[in-house]
């Protein structure tokens, strides 16, 4: 739709100028006038990776909401639980799916591009629905093809059923498709894409754990079938992750090196790591603390070593902003490790990872959905690979690990010292806690907040004196619907709000997957 509007404007201006040979004088004989499948595939894949991850302050927003970091520039809405309106902008990119499939040169390529289209659609509708609840699905993205510009809203169950069907289709199509061009993540290898599709489908199914009795969803049967019969991610090299390099504009999002982005936020020291992240690391004796953080200069000045656990005080993210400002001025806090600032390729940033998959499998085993391997086995694999990833991408220099190196012997000892124990609820808390730690500066889709909303873990402190949600005595549960839907699709939106939220479109409404 957008390119048609632009064309209309340009043609209108040309007519007013009296030019009759617009196409002739604006055609480059050395360039194709057709868009290829590979070009559209690149656009779609980068839209769900690079565009999601963002840079500098935008990169930190999900981690403010997930209580990993605080921000000292101004009182940030996400840090204090204020939600505004969501956006359906992520859905507009789906207009490229059909042209991508249609431009394929043969059937095998077409199968792969169709599979990619199903995956991207499932991904985008999933995250749109996770924010607000019911969304347009069956009638969405039909403005150009069918002139349907005011799509109805489908209930969340219908949306999730559609997402699951699309992921099933993606798996089957990738299984018979050929490797394809235009993929900056897996170099077009369909085996990698199948594994991602299936791992992500496990995540979707876990969000439906309250719906295991639903005869249409068949949550446990679907989950068990994927684990038994389909390929899954094998290690961190299979992560759906964006890697960085020293080309300007392609550096790690928090990098501030001479060839980098000129990250002014780093120089301003706006970030402080939180007690929500740091205290569990200390309690577990988890050396990732020394890879994630750098010590307080105040504590070093008082005689502590960079290898001392006590040299890393965390900030309480629910403290009122003036209190955090005082802490920041005092300089007595742990900040981001220098490697995130000084390296152009500090680490690939995943939007879905092997360790997430393993923690999902651990939870499924704990719930009795799958047999064959105990929850502990999946739990240990998730921890181990998350640690190996951090160690592999951190140069072995004192400033980056502070003399507390993570090696294989340490990893095995850590896993042995921290097995899943206790009641089912206590073990679930352990699984989600480890998922949270592994998600530091990874998984840039508000995943930590969604896990807290779903399970209550990790526990986020509620401070009614600083909480910006209304009422201040509760955490929000959802974003508000997009403002442009109020203007251009109001009748369908109003119907969806009344169907879901009797109190209206507010941040406290409980969507279907949470009931």
């Amino acid at each position: 739709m957008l390119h048609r509007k632009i064309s209309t404007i340009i043609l209108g201006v040309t007519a007013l100028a009296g030019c009759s040979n617009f196409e002739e004088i604006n055609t480059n004989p050395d360039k194709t006038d057709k868009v290829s499948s590979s070009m559209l595939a690149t656009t779609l894949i980068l839209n769900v990776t690079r565009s999601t991850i963002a840079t500098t302050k935008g990169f930190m927003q999900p981690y403010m909401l997930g209580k990993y970091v605080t921000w000292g520039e101004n009182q940030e809405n996400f840090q204090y639980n204020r939600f505004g309106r969501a956006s359906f902008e992520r859905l507009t990119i789906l207009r490229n799916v059909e042209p991508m499939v249609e431009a394929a040169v043969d059937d095998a390529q077409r199968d792969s591009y169709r599979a990619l289209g199903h995956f991207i659609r499932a991904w985008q509708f999933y995250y749109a629905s996770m924010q607000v609840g019911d969304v347009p699905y069956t009638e969405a993205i039909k403005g150009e093809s069918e002139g349907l510009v005011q799509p109805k809203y489908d209930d969340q169950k219908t949306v999730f059923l559609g997402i699951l069907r699309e992921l099933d289709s993606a798996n089957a199509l990738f299984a018979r498709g050929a490797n394809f061009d235009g993929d900056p993540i897996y170099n077009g290898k369909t085996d990698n894409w199948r594994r991602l599709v299936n791992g992500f489908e496990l995540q979707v199914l876990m969000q439906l754990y309250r719906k295991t009795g639903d005869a249409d969803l068949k949550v446990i049967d679907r989950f068990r079938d994927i684990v038994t019969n389909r390929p899954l991610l094998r290690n961190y090299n299979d992560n759906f992750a964006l890697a960085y390099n020293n080309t300007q504009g392609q550096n790690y999002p928090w990098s501030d090196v001479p060839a980098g982005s000129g990250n002014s936020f780093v120089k301003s020291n706006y970030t402080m790591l939180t007690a929500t992240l740091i205290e569990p690391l200390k309690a577990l004796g988890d050396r990732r603390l020394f890879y994630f953080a750098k010590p307080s200069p105040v504590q070093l000045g008082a005689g502590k070593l960079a290898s001392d656990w006590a040299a890393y005080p965390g900030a309480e993210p629910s403290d009122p902003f003036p209190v955090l400002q005082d802490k920041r001025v005092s300089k007595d806090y742990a900040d981001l490790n220098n490697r995130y600032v000084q390296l152009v390729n500090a680490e690939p940033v995943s939007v879905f990872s092997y360790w997430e998959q393993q923690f999902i499998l651990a939870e499924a085993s704990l719930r009795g959905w799958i047999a064959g391997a105990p929850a502990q086995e999946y739990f240990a694999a998730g921890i181990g690979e998350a640690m190996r990833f951090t160690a592999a991408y951190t140069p072995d220099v004192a400033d980056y690990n502070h003399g507390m190196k993570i090696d294989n012997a340490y990893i095995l000892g850590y896993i042995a010292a921290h097995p899943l124990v206790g009641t089912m609820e206590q073990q679930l808390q352990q699984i989600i806690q480890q998922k949270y730690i592994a998600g530091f500066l990874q998984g840039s889709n508000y995943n930590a907040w969604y896990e807290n909303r779903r399970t209550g873990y990790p526990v986020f402190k509620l401070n009614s004196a600083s909480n910006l949600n209304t009422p201040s005595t509760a955490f929000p549960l959802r974003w508000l619907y997009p403002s442009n839907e109020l203007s251009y699709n109001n009748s369908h939106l109003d119907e969806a709000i009344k169907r879901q939220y009797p109190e209206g479109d507010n941040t406290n409404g409980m969507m279907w997957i949470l009931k």
Side-chain angles (χ1 to χ4, degrees):
M1 189 72 73
L2 178 60
H3 69 273
R4 289 183 177 178
K5 291 180 179 178
I6 293 172
S7 299
T8 302
I9 293 168
I10 292 173
L11 289 170
V13 172
T14 305
L16 290 171
C19 296
S20 59
N21 60 341
F22 175 83
E23 291 186 3
E24 179 181 344
I25 65 175
N26 286 279
T27 300
N28 182 346
D30 298 321
K31 291 185 67 176
T32 178
D33 60 354
K34 295 182 179 179
V35 178
S36 67
S37 294
S38 63
M39 292 169 63
L40 292 171
T42 303
T43 299
L44 287 164
I45 294 167
L46 289 179
N47 185 266
V48 300
T49 53
R50 184 173 64 187
S51 298
T52 296
I53 293 166
T55 57
T56 59
K57 185 179 179 180
F59 176 54
M60 288 297 167
Q61 290 291 335
Y63 309 110
M64 294 181 212
L65 181 59
K67 316 310 177 194
Y68 290 103
V69 301
T70 71
W71 190 263
E73 182 184 18
N74 294 298
Q75 181 171 277
E76 286 294 319
N77 284 341
F78 272 174
Q79 183 180 320
Y80 291 104
N81 313 306
R82 174 178 283 168
F83 284 3
R85 295 199 173 276
S87 170
F88 286 167
E89 186 65 26
R90 66 168 57 247
L91 301 182
T92 61
I93 194 70
L94 300 180
R95 293 174 299 187
N96 287 333
V97 169
E98 284 306 311
M100 174 183 68
V101 173
E102 290 169 2
V105 297
D106 58 45
D107 288 343
Q109 288 274 304
R110 189 169 293 108
D111 281 342
S112 294
Y113 286 121
R114 186 177 290 117
L116 177 63
H118 280 303
F119 170 76
I120 298 291
R121 280 177 53 87
W123 183 277
Q124 299 292 60
F125 282 114
Y126 170 78
Y127 280 110
S129 183
M130 287 288 283
Q131 284 194 306
V132 295
D134 294 2
V135 296
Y137 175 70
T138 55
E139 293 185 355
I141 323 299
K142 294 184 177 180
E144 291 186 5
S145 61
E146 299 180 25
L148 211 169
V149 296
Q150 292 179 316
K152 71 175 183 181
Y153 279 66
D154 294 285
D155 62 75
Q156 199 171 34
K157 176 180 172 178
T158 299
V159 175
F160 268 71
L161 276 168
I163 290 167
L164 294 170
R165 283 193 294 267
E166 299 219 40
L167 292 171
D168 288 341
S169 296
N171 169 67
L173 288 162
F174 275 133
R176 68 172 187 252
N179 292 345
F180 61 95
D181 294 328
D183 171 18
I185 306 297
Y186 296 126
N187 198 28
K189 295 178 181 177
T190 54
D191 178 67
N192 288 93
W193 279 99
R194 274 192 83 193
R195 294 176 187 277
L196 169 63
V197 165
N198 297 326
F200 178 63
E201 187 165 357
L202 297 183
Q203 175 170 298
V204 174
L205 288 164
M206 188 53 71
Q207 293 296 326
L208 298 169
Y209 81 99
R210 293 181 176 89
K211 309 297 182 182
T212 54
D214 190 293
D216 299 318
L217 291 166
K218 299 181 176 65
V219 172
I220 297 175
D221 289 345
R222 286 176 183 269
F223 198 102
R224 190 174 293 149
D225 177 67
I226 292 169
V227 174
T228 303
N229 298 312
R230 299 189 196 176
L232 296 170
L233 305 181
R234 296 159 293 190
N235 52 51
Y236 69 71
N237 292 311
D238 286 342
N239 287 359
F240 190 36
L242 194 65
Y244 300 88
N245 57 59
N246 62 1
T247 304
Q248 189 168 2
Q250 297 181 25
N251 297 357
Y252 182 77
W254 200 244
S255 175
D256 185 36
V257 293
S261 61
N263 188 348
S264 61
F265 295 116
V266 169
K267 297 181 178 69
S268 302
N269 296 319
Y270 286 141
T271 51
M272 295 190 291
L273 299 191
T274 68
T276 313
L277 173 67
I278 287 177
E279 291 310 309
L281 291 169
K282 291 180 179 179
L284 293 165
D286 194 321
R287 290 188 182 181
R288 281 176 288 186
L289 172 66
F290 303 96
Y291 287 70
F292 291 170
K294 65 181 178 183
S296 157
V298 173
Q299 298 300 319
L300 295 181
K304 291 185 175 65
L305 301 176
S307 57
D308 288 342
W309 299 90
Y312 297 81
E316 171 48 55
S318 68
D319 280 348
F321 187 66
V323 174
L324 291 178
Q325 283 288 69
D326 289 343
K327 188 174 186 68
R328 179 168 164 258
V329 170
S330 78
K331 301 187 184 301
D332 191 15
Y333 61 88
D335 200 353
L336 288 160
N337 191 290
N338 282 337
R339 69 188 179 97
Y340 299 114
V341 179
Q342 296 171 355
L343 301 176
V344 295
N345 57 344
E347 61 189 26
V349 178
S350 66
V351 287
F352 188 76
S353 65
Y354 169 82
W355 52 78
E356 286 180 274
Q357 172 189 281
Q358 296 310 102
F359 292 130
I360 291 166
L361 289 166
E363 182 176 344
S365 179
L366 183 66
R367 295 185 182 281
W369 292 8
I370 53 176
Q376 174 63 33
E377 186 173 320
Y378 297 118
F379 181 65
I383 294 172
E385 201 67 1
M387 285 187 169
R388 280 185 280 273
F389 169 86
T390 296
Y393 282 97
T394 304
D396 186 13
V397 297
D399 200 34
Y400 298 159
N401 62 30
H402 303 106
M404 298 292 276
K405 188 175 178 179
I406 293 175
D407 56 21
N408 198 51
Y410 168 78
I411 293 170
L412 294 177
Y414 179 96
I415 290 170
H418 302 292
L420 286 173
V421 293
T423 66
M424 178 177 172
E425 189 67 19
Q426 289 169 330
Q427 291 182 58
L428 176 63
Q429 184 174 8
Q430 288 177 264
I431 292 168
I432 304 302
Q433 182 69 74
Q434 285 292 341
K435 186 188 290 190
Y436 180 78
I437 292 170
F440 179 64
L441 302 189
Q442 296 285 321
S444 302
N445 283 298
Y446 311 116
N447 289 342
W449 185 80
Y450 289 136
E451 286 298 274
N452 173 269
R453 180 179 73 174
R454 183 176 73 89
T455 68
Y457 305 121
V459 176
F460 296 159
K461 183 177 178 180
L462 180 64
N463 184 345
S464 60
S466 63
N467 185 19
L468 297 180
N469 187 46
T470 302
S472 64
T473 53
F475 286 112
L477 292 176
R478 58 180 292 274
W479 279 255
L480 304 176
Y481 277 107
S483 57
N484 59 354
E485 289 289 287
L486 294 171
S487 301
Y488 301 111
N489 198 15
N490 182 258
S491 61
H492 286 132
L493 173 59
D494 187 56
E495 179 186 8
I497 292 170
K498 289 177 179 177
R499 180 171 65 228
Q500 300 171 90
Y501 310 120
E503 303 301 318
D505 186 18
N506 65 63
T507 59
N508 305 297
M510 184 175 288
M511 62 183 66
W512 173 79
I513 59 168
L514 300 177
K515 296 178 180 178

